[in-house]
């Protein structure tokens, strides 16, 4: 199985959205992110 990497540029997003995007890309689900915020 090959592992594919994808680059996502979040630098133009507002700070709060950047935080959520980084957590999603790190593998957290929405419930976990909501609990952390």
């Amino acid at each position: 199985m090959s592992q594919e990497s994808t680059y996502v540029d979040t630098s133009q997003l507002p700070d709060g959205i950047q935080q959520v995007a980084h957590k999603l890309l790190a593998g957290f689900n929405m419930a976990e992110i909501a609990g952390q915020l």
Side-chain angles (χ1 to χ4, degrees):
M1 182 188 306
S2 69
Q3 196 169 11
E4 192 172 319
S5 168
T6 302
Y7 174 76
V8 178
D9 181 11
T10 61
S11 65
Q12 299 299 312
L13 297 173
D15 289 339
I17 303 299
Q18 272 188 25
Q19 285 182 313
V20 172
H22 286 247
K23 290 181 183 296
L24 285 169
L25 292 170
F28 291 96
N29 66 40
M30 291 303 286
E32 292 170 322
I33 296 169
Q36 292 174 10
L37 298 176

